[in-house]
Amino acid sequence: MAKLGKRTRAAREAVAGKENLSVEEAVKLVKANATAKFDETIEIAMNLGVDTRHADQMVRGVVGLPNGTGKDIRVAVFARGPKADEAKEAGADIVGAEDLMESIQAGNIDFDRCIATPDMMPIVGRLGKILGPRNLMPNPKVGTVTMDVKAAVEAAKGGEVQFKAEKGGVVHAGVGKASFDEEKLAENVRAFISAVAKAKPSGAKGTYMKKIALSSTMGPGVTVDVAEAATE
């Protein structure tokens, strides 16, 4: 077994025996242990009581974090004519139609969010096997298939986070940076948890939120008290 470094050992010792914390306590501990030489992302992982093989148990949604993510989001937009111009003016990083489709098919996926106008979906639909597994496929349910391109681009750039339950019922996302104030991180965490709670599918049986954990990119995770965190 590989020998742990001083920083890793110290971080693990700091969280040992500390479980089911309040959001604020968990944020404080995780932030204190984010000691890497770069601004680590604070990440949340939620284990949900859903079986994503069933359509009525899929969890998917979007949330605007009150204090943003701290990440520079690259946005690609499928649009033509005036809507393409609107996307560029709103700050989209990549705008195109068939040319963008061909670029993606060639393996160029240099973006974090993909938006499309409805008339572009026949083109975008051909990319389902590429964009789908990466959770980049435009979807009207999360506002990424829309004629209001300007609002969609600005929301993506402003800290909007999409989430989707993966195999095993796990939802995870970045909710800020270690450099954020504790209060701002806690606000983001609670906003994310609230959004996932509201996205509870009709087919969910039994306990919906089973476990919540917070961690930094390089640090150990700590569990959050689900009952406390889910309180509005």
Side-chain angles (χ1 to χ4, degrees):
M1 185 175 177
K3 187 177 180 180
L4 299 176
K6 281 186 179 180
R7 189 190 66 79
T8 302
R9 284 203 309 273
R12 290 191 177 183
E13 289 170 3
V15 303
K18 296 178 181 178
E19 300 177 348
N20 297 322
L21 306 177
S22 70
V23 169
E24 286 72 21
E25 290 171 333
V27 163
K28 184 175 183 178
L29 191 56
V30 169
K31 180 176 163 66
N33 282 290
T35 57
K37 294 181 180 180
F38 62 93
D39 193 5
E40 297 181 53
T41 297
I42 304 301
E43 301 171 354
I44 186 170
M46 302 176 67
N47 188 357
L48 307 178
V50 297
D51 185 345
T52 56
R53 293 175 297 177
H54 301 287
D56 66 347
Q57 293 189 47
M58 175 53 68
V59 177
R60 184 170 194 164
V62 63
V63 56
L65 298 180
N67 301 297
T69 63
K71 180 181 178 182
D72 181 18
I73 302 296
R74 286 182 59 80
V75 179
V77 178
F78 280 90
R80 284 196 182 100
K83 286 299 173 181
D85 295 336
E86 183 181 320
K88 292 173 184 175
E89 290 172 4
D93 300 277
I94 308 167
V95 181
E98 285 84 359
D99 56 331
L100 179 52
M101 177 191 71
E102 291 169 1
S103 178
I104 292 171
Q105 289 174 329
N108 300 314
I109 307 175
D110 186 23
F111 52 87
D112 308 291
R113 183 72 57 86
C114 188
I115 296 165
T117 54
D119 59 300
M120 290 285 100
M121 288 312 291
I123 293 174
V124 180
R126 302 178 201 174
L127 301 170
K129 291 183 179 180
I130 300 173
L131 299 180
R134 294 174 171 81
N135 197 26
L136 289 172
M137 191 68 179
N139 189 311
K141 292 182 179 179
V142 294
T144 48
V145 177
T146 177
M147 288 301 289
D148 195 349
V149 174
K150 181 176 184 291
V153 172
E154 290 177 346
K157 290 282 190 179
E160 187 178 76
V161 172
Q162 292 184 10
F163 58 86
K164 180 182 179 182
E166 299 177 351
K167 187 176 181 180
V170 175
V171 169
H172 64 83
V175 289
K177 293 289 186 177
S179 58
F180 283 21
D181 292 341
E182 290 177 17
E183 183 178 348
K184 290 183 177 180
L185 280 172
E187 286 177 355
N188 279 1
V189 170
R190 289 190 179 278
F192 187 87
I193 293 172
S194 177
V196 174
K198 291 174 182 175
K200 181 178 179 179
S202 60
K205 302 290 191 296
T207 302
Y208 177 51
M209 290 190 186
K210 291 185 173 182
K211 183 178 180 181
I212 302 173
L214 289 182
S215 65
S216 63
T217 305
M218 302 295 289
V222 297
T223 55
V224 176
D225 185 315
V226 175
E228 188 276 339
T231 303
E232 288 288 342

